[in-house]
Amino acid sequence: MRTLISTAFISLDGVVEAPGGEPGYRNSGWTFKDVEFLPEAFEIKGREQKEATAMMMGRTSYEAFSPVWPDMEDFADYKVMPKYVVSTTLTEDDLVSNWGETTILRSLDDVAALKETEGGPIIVHGSASLTRALSDAGLIDRYHLLVFPLLLGAGKRLFSATDKDTQKLRLVEHEAYANGLQKNVFDVVR
């Protein structure tokens, strides 16, 4: 069974919206505007590219990343790995041609089936709506969270407000940095 890892930049109050400067959000770009950059705090991002064997995202994140990431040196390892986009509306004609093999999955059942295949970890970037649905369905195995010392108030949240049974997490790696960022890696306890 493959491991599904959700990775996110997240504010202390749980917001994940527009960390990189995406338009339309009041606090857009909060990861680089409001917190001093320390390279060591982002070491996990490079490690994710080396350890993942596939990348998954929702339609909105695919539409934001696909015009930019294929040509960015910082994301070179992602260019060659298989990508999965979970969407009920995206078509093959919507996929970019310069970002390697991309497969559209139509449902959480498709994600569950993919997890049953052979292969290494699948990393989920961005994709707040998808992450909430995957979490609620019990499909996420691990969380990589870079927690920023910010309270953003309104905005898309990583975790849903669904009334559900407790989901226990086990902290397997953590570190705090001089700029206030915290790295928290949690395994989902089954």
Side-chain angles (χ1 to χ4, degrees):
M1 179 185 262
R2 299 178 81 167
T3 302
L4 193 59
I5 302 167
S6 171
T7 182
F9 295 141
I10 186 167
S11 68
L12 190 58
D13 58 348
V15 175
V16 294
E17 187 167 353
E22 300 79 359
Y25 175 61
R26 174 185 181 161
N27 294 314
S28 185
W30 49 271
T31 59
F32 61 87
K33 284 190 210 171
D34 300 315
V35 177
E36 175 192 0
F37 178 76
L38 291 179
E40 60 270 22
F42 296 89
E43 171 276 334
I44 193 168
K45 304 318 282 175
R47 188 169 16 130
E48 288 169 349
Q49 285 189 68
K50 299 295 183 201
E51 294 174 357
T53 60
M55 186 165 73
M56 181 179 291
M57 64 208 96
R59 178 195 50 82
T60 302
S61 291
Y62 178 81
E63 289 174 343
F65 298 158
S66 66
V68 181
W69 281 27
D71 297 322
M72 289 181 72
E73 186 61 35
D74 287 347
F75 302 115
D77 291 327
Y78 285 136
K79 186 169 184 171
V80 297
M81 71 176 59
K83 282 159 251 1
Y84 298 93
V85 183
V86 182
S87 173
T88 58
T89 59
L90 203 67
T91 68
E92 294 292 327
D93 291 339
D94 296 322
L95 301 177
V96 297
S97 60
N98 64 334
W99 206 18
E101 174 191 344
T102 303
T103 303
I104 300 171
L105 304 177
R106 297 293 180 197
S107 69
L108 294 180
D109 288 340
D110 290 345
V111 174
L114 174 64
K115 282 188 62 173
E116 294 295 327
T117 64
E118 294 294 319
I122 302 166
I123 194 94
V124 181
H125 276 281
S127 309
S129 297
L130 174 61
T131 298
R132 286 190 300 272
L134 293 168
S135 178
D136 288 349
L139 293 173
I140 294 180
D141 302 294
R142 175 173 275 195
Y143 293 95
H144 289 180
L145 305 177
L146 277 180
V147 183
F148 284 70
L150 303 169
L151 299 175
L152 298 175
K156 291 180 187 173
R157 301 261 191 278
L158 185 63
F159 301 104
S160 79
T162 302
D163 185 13
K164 61 182 179 181
D165 291 338
T166 300
Q167 188 173 50
K168 188 173 180 188
L169 306 175
R170 181 175 60 249
L171 184 66
V172 295
E173 183 180 342
H174 63 91
E175 192 161 348
Y177 302 94
N179 62 358
L181 259 71
Q182 297 175 35
K183 172 181 63 182
N184 293 300
V185 176
F186 292 99
D187 281 346
V188 175
V189 176
R190 305 240 189 263

